[in-house]
Amino acid sequence: DIQMTQSPSSLSASVGDRVTITCRASQSISNYLNWYQQKPGKAPKLLIYTASSLQSGVPSRFSGSESGTDFTLTITSLQPEDFATYYCQQTYSAPPWTFGQGTKVEIK
Amino acid sequence: QVQLVESGGGVVQPGGSLRLSCAVSGFPFNSYGMHWVRQAPGKGLEWVAFIGHDGNNGYHADSVKGRFTISRDTPRNTLYLQMNSLRAEDTAVYYCARSTGGYCSGGHCYRDWFDPWGQGTLVTVSS
C-alpha cells in the first residue's frame, strides 16, 4: 500500500500568514493527489484534485504543487475560516485509497 | 443540487450488525462510483469501501474485509454498507462520498477524487 506522510501534524498561524503543508508519498503517484479541508463536526470538503486543480468555488488563495513524490498545499493569506484540519489523499493505485494523517491549522 | 444523506448509525453491541444507508439526489446515481470513509473519534480519515457505478468493482479495506459489504440500489438512488461482526474499533463517523473523475481497470482504480461528501452518521460499538 502507498503511505502518505503529512508535515507538520499541526501548526499555529495568524490571519494573513502564508501557510504551507507538505505531503510525501512512499512511492511515485504521478499527480494523483487530492487535498481536503475538514472543520470540526463537519464532513471533509474537496479543495484541490490532481495535485494542482482548484475545485470549483474554492478561493484562489489555496493552491497545490508537486515535486516528485512531495506535494504542497499553500494558503497565501490565511483567513479566519481557514482554521481547520487538512488531509492529502493518493488515488494513483487503489484499492486502498489512502490519506495522510492530517495537519491541524490553529490560530496563533 | 447534489446531496448525500447518510442514515442508520447508532449504538450496537460488539458482534452485532448494522446497515448504513446513503440517499443521493441531484445527479445520475448510476453514472458514479461511490465510497464509504470513516473517522474514529479524534482520528484521521480511513477509506472503507468502494463500489463501481454499475455495482461491479466492489472493494473493501483489509480492516473490514469479510465483515462489511458495500452495495447499491440504483432505482432507490441509495448506497448501503452492511456491517457485521462489529468491533469496538469500528466506532466512527461513517461518510459516503461520490467518486469523481476516475476509472477502474484490471482490479485497480485510478485518479478519482471524493466529492461531495455526506454529513456522516455515527456508529458506536459498545457493550
Side-chain angles (χ1 to χ4, degrees), chain A residues 2-6 23 33-36 44 86-91 96-102, chain B residues 35-38 44-48 97 114 117:
Chain A
I2 298 174
Q3 309 301 319
M4 307 301 297
T5 304
Q6 281 183 240
C23 182
L33 188 284
N34 307 316
W35 290 99
Y36 300 88
Y86 295 84
Y87 294 92
C88 63
Q89 176 203 35
Q90 71 82 20
T91 60
W97 287 257
T98 50
F99 293 89
Q101 79 276 19
Chain B
H35 293 277
W36 286 101
V37 177
R38 69 183 180 183
L45 302 171
E46 179 189 17
W47 170 78
V48 173
F114 295 15
W117 299 56

PDB file of all heavy atoms in Angstrom, chain A residues 2-6 23 33-36 44 86-91 96-102, chain B residues 35-38 44-48 97 114 117:
ATOM      1  N   ILE A   2       0.374   2.302  -0.635  1.00  0.00           N
ATOM      2  CA  ILE A   2       1.089   3.570  -0.676  1.00  0.00           C
ATOM      3  C   ILE A   2       0.814   4.347   0.605  1.00  0.00           C
ATOM      4  O   ILE A   2      -0.342   4.538   0.978  1.00  0.00           O
ATOM      5  CB  ILE A   2       0.661   4.379  -1.909  1.00  0.00           C
ATOM      6  CG1 ILE A   2       1.010   3.609  -3.186  1.00  0.00           C
ATOM      7  CG2 ILE A   2       1.338   5.753  -1.902  1.00  0.00           C
ATOM      8  CD1 ILE A   2       0.499   4.253  -4.455  1.00  0.00           C
ATOM      9  N   GLN A   3       1.880   4.766   1.273  1.00  0.00           N
ATOM     10  CA  GLN A   3       1.763   5.532   2.514  1.00  0.00           C
ATOM     11  C   GLN A   3       1.910   7.023   2.210  1.00  0.00           C
ATOM     12  O   GLN A   3       2.762   7.417   1.404  1.00  0.00           O
ATOM     13  CB  GLN A   3       2.823   5.109   3.522  1.00  0.00           C
ATOM     14  CG  GLN A   3       2.901   3.613   3.754  1.00  0.00           C
ATOM     15  CD  GLN A   3       1.594   3.021   4.258  1.00  0.00           C
ATOM     16  OE1 GLN A   3       0.925   3.608   5.100  1.00  0.00           O
ATOM     17  NE2 GLN A   3       1.213   1.866   3.733  1.00  0.00           N
ATOM     18  N   MET A   4       1.095   7.826   2.872  1.00  0.00           N
ATOM     19  CA  MET A   4       1.146   9.271   2.718  1.00  0.00           C
ATOM     20  C   MET A   4       1.525   9.896   4.052  1.00  0.00           C
ATOM     21  O   MET A   4       0.861   9.630   5.067  1.00  0.00           O
ATOM     22  CB  MET A   4      -0.213   9.807   2.251  1.00  0.00           C
ATOM     23  CG  MET A   4      -0.761   9.120   1.015  1.00  0.00           C
ATOM     24  SD  MET A   4       0.337   9.242  -0.406  1.00  0.00           S
ATOM     25  CE  MET A   4       0.356  11.022  -0.671  1.00  0.00           C
ATOM     26  N   THR A   5       2.575  10.704   4.060  1.00  0.00           N
ATOM     27  CA  THR A   5       3.068  11.312   5.291  1.00  0.00           C
ATOM     28  C   THR A   5       2.963  12.822   5.188  1.00  0.00           C
ATOM     29  O   THR A   5       3.602  13.433   4.326  1.00  0.00           O
ATOM     30  CB  THR A   5       4.519  10.906   5.558  1.00  0.00           C
ATOM     31  OG1 THR A   5       4.615   9.465   5.597  1.00  0.00           O
ATOM     32  CG2 THR A   5       4.994  11.474   6.881  1.00  0.00           C
ATOM     33  N   GLN A   6       2.167  13.414   6.057  1.00  0.00           N
ATOM     34  CA  GLN A   6       1.994  14.861   6.068  1.00  0.00           C
ATOM     35  C   GLN A   6       2.885  15.498   7.124  1.00  0.00           C
ATOM     36  O   GLN A   6       3.149  14.905   8.176  1.00  0.00           O
ATOM     37  CB  GLN A   6       0.537  15.223   6.396  1.00  0.00           C
ATOM     38  CG  GLN A   6      -0.409  15.090   5.240  1.00  0.00           C
ATOM     39  CD  GLN A   6      -1.820  15.530   5.590  1.00  0.00           C
ATOM     40  OE1 GLN A   6      -2.750  14.722   5.504  1.00  0.00           O
ATOM     41  NE2 GLN A   6      -1.991  16.787   5.964  1.00  0.00           N
ATOM     42  N   CYS A  23       2.992  16.954   1.887  1.00  0.00           N
ATOM     43  CA  CYS A  23       2.561  15.551   1.884  1.00  0.00           C
ATOM     44  C   CYS A  23       3.556  14.767   1.031  1.00  0.00           C
ATOM     45  O   CYS A  23       3.832  15.156  -0.112  1.00  0.00           O
ATOM     46  CB  CYS A  23       1.153  15.456   1.309  1.00  0.00           C
ATOM     47  SG  CYS A  23       0.438  13.810   1.275  1.00  0.00           S
ATOM     48  N   LEU A  33      -3.049  13.213  -6.534  1.00  0.00           N
ATOM     49  CA  LEU A  33      -3.013  13.648  -5.151  1.00  0.00           C
ATOM     50  C   LEU A  33      -4.097  14.703  -4.951  1.00  0.00           C
ATOM     51  O   LEU A  33      -4.183  15.670  -5.722  1.00  0.00           O
ATOM     52  CB  LEU A  33      -1.624  14.228  -4.827  1.00  0.00           C
ATOM     53  CG  LEU A  33      -1.229  14.601  -3.394  1.00  0.00           C
ATOM     54  CD1 LEU A  33      -1.867  15.896  -2.928  1.00  0.00           C
ATOM     55  CD2 LEU A  33      -1.544  13.477  -2.407  1.00  0.00           C
ATOM     56  N   ASN A  34      -4.930  14.488  -3.951  1.00  0.00           N
ATOM     57  CA  ASN A  34      -6.012  15.408  -3.646  1.00  0.00           C
ATOM     58  C   ASN A  34      -5.840  15.987  -2.247  1.00  0.00           C
ATOM     59  O   ASN A  34      -5.204  15.361  -1.383  1.00  0.00           O
ATOM     60  CB  ASN A  34      -7.363  14.675  -3.719  1.00  0.00           C
ATOM     61  CG  ASN A  34      -7.558  13.938  -5.022  1.00  0.00           C
ATOM     62  OD1 ASN A  34      -7.262  14.470  -6.104  1.00  0.00           O
ATOM     63  ND2 ASN A  34      -8.059  12.710  -4.941  1.00  0.00           N
ATOM     64  N   TRP A  35      -6.412  17.171  -2.035  1.00  0.00           N
ATOM     65  CA  TRP A  35      -6.395  17.832  -0.724  1.00  0.00           C
ATOM     66  C   TRP A  35      -7.822  18.116  -0.269  1.00  0.00           C
ATOM     67  O   TRP A  35      -8.659  18.564  -1.060  1.00  0.00           O
ATOM     68  CB  TRP A  35      -5.631  19.156  -0.791  1.00  0.00           C
ATOM     69  CG  TRP A  35      -4.159  19.035  -0.977  1.00  0.00           C
ATOM     70  CD1 TRP A  35      -3.456  19.157  -2.140  1.00  0.00           C
ATOM     71  CD2 TRP A  35      -3.180  18.806   0.054  1.00  0.00           C
ATOM     72  NE1 TRP A  35      -2.107  18.999  -1.915  1.00  0.00           N
ATOM     73  CE2 TRP A  35      -1.912  18.798  -0.568  1.00  0.00           C
ATOM     74  CE3 TRP A  35      -3.247  18.616   1.430  1.00  0.00           C
ATOM     75  CZ2 TRP A  35      -0.719  18.592   0.141  1.00  0.00           C
ATOM     76  CZ3 TRP A  35      -2.069  18.421   2.130  1.00  0.00           C
ATOM     77  CH2 TRP A  35      -0.822  18.406   1.495  1.00  0.00           C
ATOM     78  N   TYR A  36      -8.073  17.869   1.015  1.00  0.00           N
ATOM     79  CA  TYR A  36      -9.371  18.107   1.617  1.00  0.00           C
ATOM     80  C   TYR A  36      -9.215  18.972   2.858  1.00  0.00           C
ATOM     81  O   TYR A  36      -8.202  18.910   3.560  1.00  0.00           O
ATOM     82  CB  TYR A  36     -10.044  16.788   2.028  1.00  0.00           C
ATOM     83  CG  TYR A  36     -10.267  15.836   0.874  1.00  0.00           C
ATOM     84  CD1 TYR A  36      -9.273  14.939   0.503  1.00  0.00           C
ATOM     85  CD2 TYR A  36     -11.453  15.844   0.156  1.00  0.00           C
ATOM     86  CE1 TYR A  36      -9.450  14.078  -0.564  1.00  0.00           C
ATOM     87  CE2 TYR A  36     -11.641  14.979  -0.917  1.00  0.00           C
ATOM     88  CZ  TYR A  36     -10.640  14.097  -1.265  1.00  0.00           C
ATOM     89  OH  TYR A  36     -10.827  13.242  -2.326  1.00  0.00           O
ATOM     90  N   PRO A  44     -15.483  16.292   5.404  1.00  0.00           N
ATOM     91  CA  PRO A  44     -14.397  16.854   4.590  1.00  0.00           C
ATOM     92  C   PRO A  44     -14.940  17.500   3.320  1.00  0.00           C
ATOM     93  O   PRO A  44     -16.003  17.128   2.806  1.00  0.00           O
ATOM     94  CB  PRO A  44     -13.546  15.623   4.252  1.00  0.00           C
ATOM     95  CG  PRO A  44     -13.857  14.638   5.331  1.00  0.00           C
ATOM     96  CD  PRO A  44     -15.312  14.861   5.645  1.00  0.00           C
ATOM     97  N   TYR A  86      -6.382  19.649   7.498  1.00  0.00           N
ATOM     98  CA  TYR A  86      -6.215  19.389   6.071  1.00  0.00           C
ATOM     99  C   TYR A  86      -5.626  17.985   5.856  1.00  0.00           C
ATOM    100  O   TYR A  86      -4.704  17.580   6.579  1.00  0.00           O
ATOM    101  CB  TYR A  86      -5.302  20.457   5.451  1.00  0.00           C
ATOM    102  CG  TYR A  86      -5.941  21.827   5.504  1.00  0.00           C
ATOM    103  CD1 TYR A  86      -5.845  22.623   6.638  1.00  0.00           C
ATOM    104  CD2 TYR A  86      -6.682  22.301   4.427  1.00  0.00           C
ATOM    105  CE1 TYR A  86      -6.469  23.865   6.701  1.00  0.00           C
ATOM    106  CE2 TYR A  86      -7.299  23.545   4.473  1.00  0.00           C
ATOM    107  CZ  TYR A  86      -7.193  24.318   5.618  1.00  0.00           C
ATOM    108  OH  TYR A  86      -7.814  25.541   5.676  1.00  0.00           O
ATOM    109  N   TYR A  87      -6.179  17.285   4.883  1.00  0.00           N
ATOM    110  CA  TYR A  87      -5.746  15.923   4.573  1.00  0.00           C
ATOM    111  C   TYR A  87      -5.338  15.823   3.107  1.00  0.00           C
ATOM    112  O   TYR A  87      -6.043  16.349   2.230  1.00  0.00           O
ATOM    113  CB  TYR A  87      -6.869  14.916   4.810  1.00  0.00           C
ATOM    114  CG  TYR A  87      -7.294  14.755   6.238  1.00  0.00           C
ATOM    115  CD1 TYR A  87      -8.339  15.509   6.764  1.00  0.00           C
ATOM    116  CD2 TYR A  87      -6.663  13.842   7.083  1.00  0.00           C
ATOM    117  CE1 TYR A  87      -8.747  15.367   8.086  1.00  0.00           C
ATOM    118  CE2 TYR A  87      -7.059  13.684   8.407  1.00  0.00           C
ATOM    119  CZ  TYR A  87      -8.100  14.452   8.895  1.00  0.00           C
ATOM    120  OH  TYR A  87      -8.490  14.305  10.205  1.00  0.00           O
ATOM    121  N   CYS A  88      -4.254  15.118   2.858  1.00  0.00           N
ATOM    122  CA  CYS A  88      -3.933  14.741   1.485  1.00  0.00           C
ATOM    123  C   CYS A  88      -4.412  13.308   1.254  1.00  0.00           C
ATOM    124  O   CYS A  88      -4.655  12.558   2.212  1.00  0.00           O
ATOM    125  CB  CYS A  88      -2.441  14.861   1.205  1.00  0.00           C
ATOM    126  SG  CYS A  88      -1.369  13.774   2.171  1.00  0.00           S
ATOM    127  N   GLN A  89      -4.535  12.924  -0.012  1.00  0.00           N
ATOM    128  CA  GLN A  89      -5.029  11.601  -0.383  1.00  0.00           C
ATOM    129  C   GLN A  89      -4.435  11.197  -1.721  1.00  0.00           C
ATOM    130  O   GLN A  89      -4.415  12.002  -2.654  1.00  0.00           O
ATOM    131  CB  GLN A  89      -6.552  11.633  -0.519  1.00  0.00           C
ATOM    132  CG  GLN A  89      -7.181  10.335  -1.005  1.00  0.00           C
ATOM    133  CD  GLN A  89      -8.536  10.558  -1.649  1.00  0.00           C
ATOM    134  OE1 GLN A  89      -8.784  11.561  -2.308  1.00  0.00           O
ATOM    135  NE2 GLN A  89      -9.450   9.615  -1.451  1.00  0.00           N
ATOM    136  N   GLN A  90      -3.965   9.962  -1.802  1.00  0.00           N
ATOM    137  CA  GLN A  90      -3.463   9.486  -3.090  1.00  0.00           C
ATOM    138  C   GLN A  90      -4.526   8.613  -3.768  1.00  0.00           C
ATOM    139  O   GLN A  90      -5.228   7.834  -3.106  1.00  0.00           O
ATOM    140  CB  GLN A  90      -2.146   8.710  -2.929  1.00  0.00           C
ATOM    141  CG  GLN A  90      -2.261   7.346  -2.264  1.00  0.00           C
ATOM    142  CD  GLN A  90      -2.685   6.211  -3.199  1.00  0.00           C
ATOM    143  OE1 GLN A  90      -2.562   6.306  -4.419  1.00  0.00           O
ATOM    144  NE2 GLN A  90      -3.210   5.113  -2.630  1.00  0.00           N
ATOM    145  N   THR A  91      -4.635   8.786  -5.076  1.00  0.00           N
ATOM    146  CA  THR A  91      -5.541   7.944  -5.858  1.00  0.00           C
ATOM    147  C   THR A  91      -4.796   7.402  -7.088  1.00  0.00           C
ATOM    148  O   THR A  91      -5.390   7.186  -8.140  1.00  0.00           O
ATOM    149  CB  THR A  91      -6.798   8.719  -6.278  1.00  0.00           C
ATOM    150  OG1 THR A  91      -6.410   9.838  -7.085  1.00  0.00           O
ATOM    151  CG2 THR A  91      -7.580   9.192  -5.085  1.00  0.00           C
ATOM    152  N   PRO A  96      -5.884   0.132  -1.669  1.00  0.00           N
ATOM    153  CA  PRO A  96      -6.741   1.055  -0.940  1.00  0.00           C
ATOM    154  C   PRO A  96      -6.464   2.515  -1.310  1.00  0.00           C
ATOM    155  O   PRO A  96      -5.353   2.843  -1.722  1.00  0.00           O
ATOM    156  CB  PRO A  96      -6.345   0.789   0.517  1.00  0.00           C
ATOM    157  CG  PRO A  96      -4.894   0.472   0.435  1.00  0.00           C
ATOM    158  CD  PRO A  96      -4.716  -0.299  -0.867  1.00  0.00           C
ATOM    159  N   TRP A  97      -7.484   3.351  -1.162  1.00  0.00           N
ATOM    160  CA  TRP A  97      -7.288   4.789  -1.234  1.00  0.00           C
ATOM    161  C   TRP A  97      -6.720   5.205   0.122  1.00  0.00           C
ATOM    162  O   TRP A  97      -7.267   4.819   1.159  1.00  0.00           O
ATOM    163  CB  TRP A  97      -8.625   5.476  -1.472  1.00  0.00           C
ATOM    164  CG  TRP A  97      -9.179   5.325  -2.853  1.00  0.00           C
ATOM    165  CD1 TRP A  97      -9.170   6.268  -3.847  1.00  0.00           C
ATOM    166  CD2 TRP A  97      -9.876   4.192  -3.407  1.00  0.00           C
ATOM    167  NE1 TRP A  97      -9.802   5.784  -4.981  1.00  0.00           N
ATOM    168  CE2 TRP A  97     -10.244   4.517  -4.742  1.00  0.00           C
ATOM    169  CE3 TRP A  97     -10.222   2.931  -2.914  1.00  0.00           C
ATOM    170  CZ2 TRP A  97     -10.932   3.638  -5.578  1.00  0.00           C
ATOM    171  CZ3 TRP A  97     -10.904   2.044  -3.745  1.00  0.00           C
ATOM    172  CH2 TRP A  97     -11.249   2.398  -5.056  1.00  0.00           C
ATOM    173  N   THR A  98      -5.648   5.961   0.137  1.00  0.00           N
ATOM    174  CA  THR A  98      -5.004   6.277   1.410  1.00  0.00           C
ATOM    175  C   THR A  98      -4.891   7.776   1.615  1.00  0.00           C
ATOM    176  O   THR A  98      -4.636   8.537   0.672  1.00  0.00           O
ATOM    177  CB  THR A  98      -3.617   5.626   1.525  1.00  0.00           C
ATOM    178  OG1 THR A  98      -2.852   5.907   0.335  1.00  0.00           O
ATOM    179  CG2 THR A  98      -3.743   4.116   1.679  1.00  0.00           C
ATOM    180  N   PHE A  99      -5.071   8.171   2.890  1.00  0.00           N
ATOM    181  CA  PHE A  99      -4.999   9.562   3.300  1.00  0.00           C
ATOM    182  C   PHE A  99      -3.746   9.785   4.147  1.00  0.00           C
ATOM    183  O   PHE A  99      -3.247   8.862   4.807  1.00  0.00           O
ATOM    184  CB  PHE A  99      -6.216   9.927   4.158  1.00  0.00           C
ATOM    185  CG  PHE A  99      -7.527   9.916   3.432  1.00  0.00           C
ATOM    186  CD1 PHE A  99      -8.276   8.742   3.365  1.00  0.00           C
ATOM    187  CD2 PHE A  99      -8.036  11.059   2.849  1.00  0.00           C
ATOM    188  CE1 PHE A  99      -9.493   8.709   2.708  1.00  0.00           C
ATOM    189  CE2 PHE A  99      -9.257  11.041   2.183  1.00  0.00           C
ATOM    190  CZ  PHE A  99      -9.981   9.861   2.114  1.00  0.00           C
ATOM    191  N   GLY A 100      -3.284  11.031   4.150  1.00  0.00           N
ATOM    192  CA  GLY A 100      -2.297  11.427   5.139  1.00  0.00           C
ATOM    193  C   GLY A 100      -2.967  11.511   6.497  1.00  0.00           C
ATOM    194  O   GLY A 100      -4.196  11.438   6.619  1.00  0.00           O
ATOM    195  N   GLN A 101      -2.159  11.706   7.535  1.00  0.00           N
ATOM    196  CA  GLN A 101      -2.685  11.684   8.899  1.00  0.00           C
ATOM    197  C   GLN A 101      -3.344  13.001   9.298  1.00  0.00           C
ATOM    198  O   GLN A 101      -3.971  13.084  10.355  1.00  0.00           O
ATOM    199  CB  GLN A 101      -1.569  11.329   9.901  1.00  0.00           C
ATOM    200  CG  GLN A 101      -0.649  12.489  10.253  1.00  0.00           C
ATOM    201  CD  GLN A 101       0.470  12.697   9.249  1.00  0.00           C
ATOM    202  OE1 GLN A 101       0.426  12.238   8.107  1.00  0.00           O
ATOM    203  NE2 GLN A 101       1.506  13.411   9.687  1.00  0.00           N
ATOM    204  N   GLY A 102      -3.212  14.013   8.452  1.00  0.00           N
ATOM    205  CA  GLY A 102      -3.858  15.290   8.729  1.00  0.00           C
ATOM    206  C   GLY A 102      -2.917  16.333   9.295  1.00  0.00           C
ATOM    207  O   GLY A 102      -1.948  16.004  10.002  1.00  0.00           O
TER     208      GLY A 102
ATOM    209  N   HIS B  35     -18.044   5.775  -2.494  1.00  0.00           N
ATOM    210  CA  HIS B  35     -17.167   5.332  -1.416  1.00  0.00           C
ATOM    211  C   HIS B  35     -17.843   5.456  -0.064  1.00  0.00           C
ATOM    212  O   HIS B  35     -18.729   6.300   0.126  1.00  0.00           O
ATOM    213  CB  HIS B  35     -15.916   6.229  -1.355  1.00  0.00           C
ATOM    214  CG  HIS B  35     -14.992   6.133  -2.516  1.00  0.00           C
ATOM    215  ND1 HIS B  35     -14.038   5.144  -2.627  1.00  0.00           N
ATOM    216  CD2 HIS B  35     -14.858   6.915  -3.602  1.00  0.00           C
ATOM    217  CE1 HIS B  35     -13.341   5.342  -3.738  1.00  0.00           C
ATOM    218  NE2 HIS B  35     -13.814   6.402  -4.357  1.00  0.00           N
ATOM    219  N   TRP B  36     -17.370   4.653   0.873  1.00  0.00           N
ATOM    220  CA  TRP B  36     -17.578   4.872   2.299  1.00  0.00           C
ATOM    221  C   TRP B  36     -16.206   5.165   2.932  1.00  0.00           C
ATOM    222  O   TRP B  36     -15.225   4.479   2.649  1.00  0.00           O
ATOM    223  CB  TRP B  36     -18.188   3.652   2.976  1.00  0.00           C
ATOM    224  CG  TRP B  36     -19.645   3.428   2.688  1.00  0.00           C
ATOM    225  CD1 TRP B  36     -20.180   2.542   1.796  1.00  0.00           C
ATOM    226  CD2 TRP B  36     -20.751   4.106   3.299  1.00  0.00           C
ATOM    227  NE1 TRP B  36     -21.556   2.634   1.805  1.00  0.00           N
ATOM    228  CE2 TRP B  36     -21.937   3.571   2.731  1.00  0.00           C
ATOM    229  CE3 TRP B  36     -20.881   5.100   4.279  1.00  0.00           C
ATOM    230  CZ2 TRP B  36     -23.214   4.006   3.098  1.00  0.00           C
ATOM    231  CZ3 TRP B  36     -22.149   5.526   4.643  1.00  0.00           C
ATOM    232  CH2 TRP B  36     -23.293   4.981   4.058  1.00  0.00           C
ATOM    233  N   VAL B  37     -16.183   6.173   3.785  1.00  0.00           N
ATOM    234  CA  VAL B  37     -14.980   6.577   4.517  1.00  0.00           C
ATOM    235  C   VAL B  37     -15.381   6.745   5.974  1.00  0.00           C
ATOM    236  O   VAL B  37     -16.484   7.228   6.261  1.00  0.00           O
ATOM    237  CB  VAL B  37     -14.410   7.913   3.978  1.00  0.00           C
ATOM    238  CG1 VAL B  37     -13.192   8.359   4.795  1.00  0.00           C
ATOM    239  CG2 VAL B  37     -14.052   7.780   2.499  1.00  0.00           C
ATOM    240  N   ARG B  38     -14.510   6.377   6.903  1.00  0.00           N
ATOM    241  CA  ARG B  38     -14.851   6.541   8.313  1.00  0.00           C
ATOM    242  C   ARG B  38     -13.787   7.327   9.047  1.00  0.00           C
ATOM    243  O   ARG B  38     -12.641   7.464   8.578  1.00  0.00           O
ATOM    244  CB  ARG B  38     -15.070   5.190   8.984  1.00  0.00           C
ATOM    245  CG  ARG B  38     -13.823   4.337   9.151  1.00  0.00           C
ATOM    246  CD  ARG B  38     -14.195   2.983   9.762  1.00  0.00           C
ATOM    247  NE  ARG B  38     -13.033   2.114   9.942  1.00  0.00           N
ATOM    248  CZ  ARG B  38     -13.097   0.864  10.398  1.00  0.00           C
ATOM    249  NH1 ARG B  38     -14.289   0.329  10.711  1.00  0.00           N
ATOM    250  NH2 ARG B  38     -12.003   0.146  10.525  1.00  0.00           N
ATOM    251  N   GLY B  44      -7.916  10.408  12.103  1.00  0.00           N
ATOM    252  CA  GLY B  44      -7.958  10.819  10.713  1.00  0.00           C
ATOM    253  C   GLY B  44      -8.957  10.013   9.890  1.00  0.00           C
ATOM    254  O   GLY B  44      -9.747   9.230  10.411  1.00  0.00           O
ATOM    255  N   LEU B  45      -8.885  10.241   8.587  1.00  0.00           N
ATOM    256  CA  LEU B  45      -9.810   9.603   7.655  1.00  0.00           C
ATOM    257  C   LEU B  45      -9.289   8.245   7.214  1.00  0.00           C
ATOM    258  O   LEU B  45      -8.101   8.094   6.918  1.00  0.00           O
ATOM    259  CB  LEU B  45      -9.995  10.499   6.426  1.00  0.00           C
ATOM    260  CG  LEU B  45     -10.523  11.908   6.709  1.00  0.00           C
ATOM    261  CD1 LEU B  45     -10.448  12.769   5.453  1.00  0.00           C
ATOM    262  CD2 LEU B  45     -11.944  11.852   7.237  1.00  0.00           C
ATOM    263  N   GLU B  46     -10.193   7.273   7.152  1.00  0.00           N
ATOM    264  CA  GLU B  46      -9.850   5.925   6.709  1.00  0.00           C
ATOM    265  C   GLU B  46     -10.851   5.476   5.657  1.00  0.00           C
ATOM    266  O   GLU B  46     -12.048   5.386   5.926  1.00  0.00           O
ATOM    267  CB  GLU B  46      -9.853   4.932   7.878  1.00  0.00           C
ATOM    268  CG  GLU B  46      -9.526   3.503   7.454  1.00  0.00           C
ATOM    269  CD  GLU B  46      -9.735   2.478   8.553  1.00  0.00           C
ATOM    270  OE1 GLU B  46     -10.418   2.781   9.549  1.00  0.00           O
ATOM    271  OE2 GLU B  46      -9.239   1.344   8.410  1.00  0.00           O
ATOM    272  N   TRP B  47     -10.353   5.170   4.460  1.00  0.00           N
ATOM    273  CA  TRP B  47     -11.228   4.629   3.421  1.00  0.00           C
ATOM    274  C   TRP B  47     -11.714   3.249   3.838  1.00  0.00           C
ATOM    275  O   TRP B  47     -10.939   2.440   4.363  1.00  0.00           O
ATOM    276  CB  TRP B  47     -10.469   4.550   2.093  1.00  0.00           C
ATOM    277  CG  TRP B  47     -11.227   3.784   1.058  1.00  0.00           C
ATOM    278  CD1 TRP B  47     -12.282   4.227   0.316  1.00  0.00           C
ATOM    279  CD2 TRP B  47     -11.006   2.426   0.668  1.00  0.00           C
ATOM    280  NE1 TRP B  47     -12.735   3.224  -0.513  1.00  0.00           N
ATOM    281  CE2 TRP B  47     -11.970   2.111  -0.311  1.00  0.00           C
ATOM    282  CE3 TRP B  47     -10.100   1.452   1.062  1.00  0.00           C
ATOM    283  CZ2 TRP B  47     -12.045   0.858  -0.912  1.00  0.00           C
ATOM    284  CZ3 TRP B  47     -10.167   0.201   0.471  1.00  0.00           C
ATOM    285  CH2 TRP B  47     -11.140  -0.079  -0.507  1.00  0.00           C
ATOM    286  N   VAL B  48     -13.011   2.964   3.579  1.00  0.00           N
ATOM    287  CA  VAL B  48     -13.620   1.709   3.998  1.00  0.00           C
ATOM    288  C   VAL B  48     -14.004   0.824   2.811  1.00  0.00           C
ATOM    289  O   VAL B  48     -13.693  -0.370   2.783  1.00  0.00           O
ATOM    290  CB  VAL B  48     -14.871   1.975   4.860  1.00  0.00           C
ATOM    291  CG1 VAL B  48     -15.618   0.683   5.160  1.00  0.00           C
ATOM    292  CG2 VAL B  48     -14.490   2.696   6.147  1.00  0.00           C
ATOM    293  N   ALA B  97     -19.314   9.187   0.015  1.00  0.00           N
ATOM    294  CA  ALA B  97     -18.754  10.205  -0.867  1.00  0.00           C
ATOM    295  C   ALA B  97     -18.830   9.725  -2.299  1.00  0.00           C
ATOM    296  O   ALA B  97     -18.675   8.529  -2.571  1.00  0.00           O
ATOM    297  CB  ALA B  97     -17.301  10.516  -0.486  1.00  0.00           C
ATOM    298  N   PHE B 114     -12.883  12.515  -4.182  1.00  0.00           N
ATOM    299  CA  PHE B 114     -14.104  12.290  -3.435  1.00  0.00           C
ATOM    300  C   PHE B 114     -14.842  13.623  -3.299  1.00  0.00           C
ATOM    301  O   PHE B 114     -14.427  14.508  -2.554  1.00  0.00           O
ATOM    302  CB  PHE B 114     -13.798  11.747  -2.031  1.00  0.00           C
ATOM    303  CG  PHE B 114     -13.161  10.382  -1.990  1.00  0.00           C
ATOM    304  CD1 PHE B 114     -12.596   9.790  -3.106  1.00  0.00           C
ATOM    305  CD2 PHE B 114     -13.113   9.667  -0.791  1.00  0.00           C
ATOM    306  CE1 PHE B 114     -12.008   8.533  -3.059  1.00  0.00           C
ATOM    307  CE2 PHE B 114     -12.529   8.415  -0.720  1.00  0.00           C
ATOM    308  CZ  PHE B 114     -11.978   7.853  -1.853  1.00  0.00           C
ATOM    309  N   TRP B 117     -19.299  14.941  -0.168  1.00  0.00           N
ATOM    310  CA  TRP B 117     -19.431  14.009   0.949  1.00  0.00           C
ATOM    311  C   TRP B 117     -20.783  14.243   1.631  1.00  0.00           C
ATOM    312  O   TRP B 117     -21.307  15.350   1.611  1.00  0.00           O
ATOM    313  CB  TRP B 117     -18.328  14.239   1.983  1.00  0.00           C
ATOM    314  CG  TRP B 117     -16.932  14.047   1.502  1.00  0.00           C
ATOM    315  CD1 TRP B 117     -16.319  14.667   0.443  1.00  0.00           C
ATOM    316  CD2 TRP B 117     -15.934  13.212   2.080  1.00  0.00           C
ATOM    317  NE1 TRP B 117     -15.017  14.263   0.315  1.00  0.00           N
ATOM    318  CE2 TRP B 117     -14.747  13.370   1.314  1.00  0.00           C
ATOM    319  CE3 TRP B 117     -15.907  12.332   3.168  1.00  0.00           C
ATOM    320  CZ2 TRP B 117     -13.561  12.678   1.612  1.00  0.00           C
ATOM    321  CZ3 TRP B 117     -14.729  11.654   3.467  1.00  0.00           C
ATOM    322  CH2 TRP B 117     -13.570  11.822   2.689  1.00  0.00           C
TER     323      TRP B 117
END
